[in-house]
Amino acid sequence: MNDEYFLKLAIKKSKESADKKLFPAGAVVTCDNKLIVQAVSSIWPKANHHADSDAVDQAMDKLNRQLSNCTLYLSMEPCLMCINRAYWAGIRRIVFAIKKQLTKTEYFEGGLKNEDVIEGFTQKLEFIHFLELEQEALEVVRLWEKQGGFNQ
């Protein structure tokens, strides 16, 4: 299994999230190339439990350790909260499909670039935009928006 396989799983979770009328994000955590957890966005009042953060929390609970040697796969670029949460959990590799610049600004908390945040980390974090699956993931977001987005 490879990045494409696991990223397609994250996109599949984003479709599942959108089908539940939740924010169309999906996340997968792998360790040593083995699937650990999959997650979708949470509902109110856990609105701060993005798919990314939820996957990180679930993986830590399941493994009962830091997530070193783990990769976080995301249907879209993570927000600042989620990238920091992943980093503090021990993840040093994030692979995502959609660049945040292709989505609405309201989906993220500000204009700060993740690359600028990553530069400030004391340990290296691989931050990989998997362009080949961007359109597939973006179709899920556009369909969710067409169906009413946050107003569903």
Side-chain angles (χ1 to χ4, degrees):
M1 292 182 252
N2 58 23
D3 286 344
E4 183 175 1
Y5 175 82
F6 290 120
L7 193 51
K8 282 187 176 193
L9 282 180
I11 294 168
K12 183 178 177 184
K13 295 308 283 186
S14 75
K15 290 177 188 171
E16 183 182 317
S17 191
D19 288 345
K20 294 179 177 181
K21 300 186 186 324
L22 302 172
F23 188 72
V28 169
V29 173
T30 67
C31 290
D32 300 317
N33 209 33
K34 293 184 179 98
L35 179 65
I36 304 301
V37 298
Q38 302 176 61
V40 299
S41 297
S42 294
I43 58 172
W44 181 262
K46 292 186 174 185
N48 67 329
H49 280 236
H50 299 174
D52 333 26
S53 292
D54 215 25
V56 167
D57 289 350
Q58 287 180 47
M60 286 190 80
D61 286 346
K62 186 172 184 176
L63 297 175
N64 196 31
R65 65 170 174 84
Q66 285 289 106
L67 301 179
S68 53
N69 300 323
C70 295
T71 299
L72 178 60
Y73 292 92
L74 306 169
S75 60
M76 66 174 60
E77 187 172 349
C79 73
L80 293 173
M81 174 187 70
C82 291
I83 198 166
N84 280 288
R85 195 171 193 156
Y87 179 82
W88 283 104
I91 290 176
R92 296 297 179 265
R93 187 165 188 272
I94 297 175
V95 180
F96 63 95
I98 303 171
K99 290 287 285 178
K100 71 179 181 179
Q101 291 85 350
L102 295 178
T103 64
K104 294 181 179 181
T105 56
E106 66 195 62
Y107 299 166
F108 294 88
E109 64 285 329
L112 201 59
K113 293 181 181 175
N114 282 328
E115 290 81 2
D116 294 337
V117 173
I118 291 167
E119 256 182 52
F121 290 153
T122 56
Q123 294 182 10
K124 184 180 189 267
L125 173 69
E126 286 184 79
F127 197 60
I128 303 163
H129 176 215
F130 199 94
L131 182 62
E132 295 83 354
L133 293 177
E134 187 171 63
Q135 277 309 120
E136 182 180 336
L138 201 50
E139 287 174 16
V140 176
V141 174
R142 298 296 181 242
L143 180 60
W144 175 79
E145 290 170 342
K146 191 181 280 189
Q147 293 171 341
F150 287 120
N151 298 318
Q152 294 185 65

